[in-house]
Amino acid sequence: MVRKWRKQEDDLRQVKKTKQSFRGNKARWPQLEDKLEQWVVEQRAASRSISTVTIRMKATALARDMIIDEFRGGPSWCFRFMKIRNLSIRTRTTVSQQLPKDYQEKLPTFRAYCKKKITEKKIRPEHITNMDEVPLTFDIPMNRTVEKTGTSTVSVRTTGNEKSSFTVVLACQANCQKLPPMVIFKTKTLPKENFPAGVVIKASPKGWMDEEKMSEWLREIYVKKPVGFFHTAPSLLIYDSMHAHITDAVKKQVKQTNSELAVIPGGLTKELQPLDIGVNRAFKARLRAAWEQWMTEGEHTFTKTGRQHRATYATICQWIVDAWADISVSTVVQAFTKAGIISELPGNSSDTDSDNDEREPGRLDAVVAQLFNSDTEEEEFEGFVDGE
């Protein structure tokens, strides 16, 4: 056995520690499978989706090019190939942004701009604010569920409001302070319900941010932030290039609050926006947990036809308040640090508990997501806003 182990030294060093033997046949066409695995890696690096059918079609094409006549590429071969190459079918966790071609130049430029303003104006962490809109739906079902093996139909019960959307406007500061959330419901008038404290309720026919709602957010939330009412200290406001954020009226209103404006270039919010980097995912995970608990344990009402009513506006707002309050200090600090806006604050280390272990298991309807995706605006990015 010692002689055998010495001959297998290279393989033993590379194999997983949990593997107990080298059972199983070796690949019949190793060169083909090597090329196929490389192709899969390249496609996933470009965030393209790949199915088992696509893999089999590509394998057949490679076999034809390599003149391998006996290759069939059936489902069982595909399963063995994926198992050996450590590939599996995964649920999409996010709709991927396409980074602009010059993103490597824009990233350091934007960070240098923010640091320059922070240094020149002597802006303290409690005056550095990031704001972002989070599109949500009244139902937040999971894409996967535990079910008996072999069940032909796997259903997930909802109230039928998976596409009924609304918007939550979140904002946090580099010193871990979280501003009250603003909820924009898709309705013409404000719902007449007893809403919880700590949240600002707005109504809009379209249910998302526009110039009017942006002005209200600045006036009712941003101006009232701690030590910000009298505008004595300079501030830095960071958000994306959504059209409602960069109108002349909004820029003027921001300027009146003694704030410098830093507009994130289109396509780079996943790299430069703290809320996108480390906060929104944890927030939505907590909302989904609250919805699931309500679906299984909450009190429900039904229509005459037996259809379950969705959660009330007030209930949803209470979930939002609780989820926002549950976001930890370390999560906010790490988000600003990872975005490159600030260095890590004293007393906050990466060893502290973080909310980023949460996974975002759901997705938004593609049409609604497109409406809220500020980085796909047709307008060209006009550059960073300089208050001078």
Side-chain angles (χ1 to χ4, degrees), residues 7 10 85 97 112 121 154 157 174 258 261 285 287 297 313 344 387:
K7 292 178 181 179
D10 293 339
R85 303 291 172 149
Q97 268 183 0
K121 303 291 184 178
V154 180
R157 186 169 64 93
N258 193 18
L261 185 58
L287 275 183
E297 302 176 5
Y313 292 109
E344 193 166 359

Side-chain angles (χ1 to χ4, degrees), residues 178-337:
K178 292 172 289 187
L179 303 186
M182 184 171 83
V183 184
I184 306 174
F185 288 114
K186 191 176 181 180
T187 177
K188 293 183 179 179
T189 58
L190 288 175
K192 296 181 180 179
E193 297 184 18
N194 294 322
F195 291 100
V199 62
V200 177
I201 312 299
K202 295 294 178 181
S204 170
K206 295 184 178 180
W208 66 76
M209 180 70 84
D210 54 21
E211 183 177 354
E212 179 184 356
K213 293 294 177 287
M214 184 65 197
S215 178
E216 293 176 5
W217 180 85
L218 290 169
R219 185 172 59 253
E220 299 180 27
I221 296 178
Y222 181 68
V223 170
K224 296 181 181 179
K225 65 183 185 295
V227 298
F229 185 79
F230 294 104
H231 320 310
T232 55
S235 301
L236 179 66
L237 178 59
I238 304 169
Y239 50 52
D240 58 43
S241 55
M242 183 180 182
H243 178 70
H245 296 169
I246 56 177
T247 62
D248 293 337
V250 169
K251 290 179 182 179
K252 182 179 179 180
Q253 191 173 353
V254 172
K255 185 67 176 178
Q256 291 172 350
T257 64
N258 193 18
S259 296
E260 298 291 334
L261 185 58
V263 180
I264 299 172
L268 295 180
T269 56
K270 291 292 183 184
E271 301 289 334
L272 295 173
Q273 179 144 261
L275 283 165
D276 258 355
I277 290 173
V279 179
N280 290 348
R281 172 181 291 181
F283 172 74
K284 288 190 280 188
R286 281 155 175 74
L287 275 183
R288 175 172 286 107
W291 177 83
E292 289 175 347
Q293 184 177 8
W294 175 79
M295 285 292 294
T296 56
E297 302 176 5
E299 296 182 0
H300 305 136
T301 58
F302 299 86
T303 64
K304 293 181 179 180
T305 58
R307 181 179 176 182
Q308 181 180 326
H309 286 126
R310 62 166 175 76
T312 64
Y313 292 109
T315 301
I316 291 171
C317 288
Q318 186 62 60
W319 295 345
I320 292 171
V321 171
D322 294 341
W324 189 229
D326 199 36
I327 299 298
S328 68
V329 168
S330 62
T331 297
V332 178
V333 173
Q334 290 175 16
F336 272 92
T337 304

Side-chain angles (χ1 to χ4, degrees), residues 31 36 98 137 143 157 161 163-164 176 183 188 192 204 257 261 270 274 304 311 316 333 340 342 364 384 388:
Q31 293 181 348
L36 184 59
Q98 174 133 17
T137 55
N143 288 331
R157 186 169 64 93
N161 289 275
K163 295 185 179 181
S164 300
C176 320
V183 184
K188 293 183 179 179
K192 296 181 180 179
S204 170
T257 64
L261 185 58
K270 291 292 183 184
K304 293 181 179 180
I316 291 171
V333 173
I342 63 168
L364 190 65
F384 308 122
E388 297 177 357

Side-chain angles (χ1 to χ4, degrees), residues 25-37:
N25 297 326
K26 293 184 178 180
R28 187 175 177 185
W29 304 282
Q31 293 181 348
L32 183 148
E33 295 189 3
D34 288 342
K35 291 184 178 181
L36 184 59
E37 182 184 14

Side-chain angles (χ1 to χ4, degrees), residues 337-353:
T337 304
K338 190 172 181 180
I341 307 300
I342 63 168
S343 301
E344 193 166 359
L345 297 177
N348 290 283
S349 67
S350 57
D351 297 332
T352 56
D353 293 336

